[in-house]
């Protein structure tokens, strides 16, 4: 009788589809140019609240976190204390540290390169980098996005600060809303599950409730409590479900042991049909 060959049903997962360099560069340039143009709004707003040309350009060159920069000048424009405004901007920019922890493993740069790359770790570069299937395209997306956005953001900041006087009253143009609008546009597609949407919604409620009660800049800090609050509630609900009587934990159930010598799935032979 001919020897029967076992046919294994377990298949290896298909590798992720390759992404061409042209597609990565196109996406990176699109993000860099679209967001970089809003640096003009920051330059105008910063000059409108009384910051000098040097101070405005230094914020874009050295800080380079658009949402934090807008938070700072927005708080100053509302009459907030400079220290409170700086604290709000600092804690808002602290999210980039968490991006850096993830990007460090993805990009795999040497220790000598990391301090320079860290300056470009922002929302936009993180989004483009993490969308890539491998390290090579991730580095390409990070570099093109960071370079495009950094150069264009600083040029448009300079142009906005120089043109602030020609525009007159900056509040009438509503340019201070450009930064938050861009940030929300980048954040919204990332809210993919219910927990993330609830955390974002709770943060909005906290800001709206505390805005008329607390000094300028503090409501932003209070809204950061939304994420741990939602996670605590979710953890308690998870423990309560696991302790319900009669609950079956399928994850702990061991798969049935395969008997020694049991043949795998194979085509039917003439002997089987007989």
């Amino acid at each position: 009788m001919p020897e029967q060959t076992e046919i294994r049903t377990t298949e290896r997962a298909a590798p992720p589809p390759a992404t061409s360099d042209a597609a990565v560069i196109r996406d990176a340039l699109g993000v860099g140019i679209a967001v970089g143009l809003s640096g003009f709004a920051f330059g105008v707003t910063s000059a409108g609240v009384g910051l000098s040309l040097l101070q405005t350009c230094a914020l874009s060159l050295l800080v380079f976190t658009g949402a934090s920069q807008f938070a700072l000048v927005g708080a100053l424009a509302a009459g907030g204390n400079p220290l409170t405004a700086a604290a709000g901007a600092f804690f808002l920019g602290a999210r980039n540290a968490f991006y850096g922890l993830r990007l460090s493993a993805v990009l795999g740069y040497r220790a000598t390169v990391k301090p320079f790359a860290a300056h470009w770790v922002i929302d936009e570069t993180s989004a483009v980098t993490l969308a890539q299937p491998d390290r090579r395209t991730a580095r390409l997306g990070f570099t093109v996005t960071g370079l495009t956005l950094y150069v264009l953001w600083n040029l448009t900041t300079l142009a906005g600060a120089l043109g602030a006087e020609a525009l007159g009253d900056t509040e009438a143009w509503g340019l201070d809303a450009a930064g938050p609008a861009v940030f929300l546009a980048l954040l919204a597609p990332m809210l993919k599950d219910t927990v993330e949407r609830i955390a974002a919604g709770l943060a909005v409620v906290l800001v709206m409730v505390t805005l008329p009660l607390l000094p300028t800049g503090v409501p932003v800090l209070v809204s950061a409590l939304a994420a741990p609050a939602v996670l605590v509630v979710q953890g308690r609900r998870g423990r309560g479900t696991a302790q319900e009587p009669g609950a079956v934990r399928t994850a702990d159930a061991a798969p049935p042991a395969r008997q020694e010598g049991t043949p795998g799935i194979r085509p039917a032979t003439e002997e089987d049909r007989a």
Side-chain angles (χ1 to χ4, degrees), residues 12 37 62 73 101 140 168 175 180 184 208 223 229 237 254:
R12 294 182 179 180
L37 292 175
L62 303 177
V73 298
L101 294 175
L140 179 62
L175 295 175
L184 290 176
M208 298 301 293
S223 67
R237 290 183 60 184

Side-chain angles (χ1 to χ4, degrees), residues 71 74-76 78-81 84-85 211 214-219:
L76 293 176
N81 183 281
T84 304
L211 191 60
L214 299 177
T216 304
V218 177

Side-chain angles (χ1 to χ4, degrees), residues 49 75 147 176 182 206 217-218 250 263:
V49 301
L147 180 62
D176 54 334
V182 171
L206 288 175
V218 177
T250 57

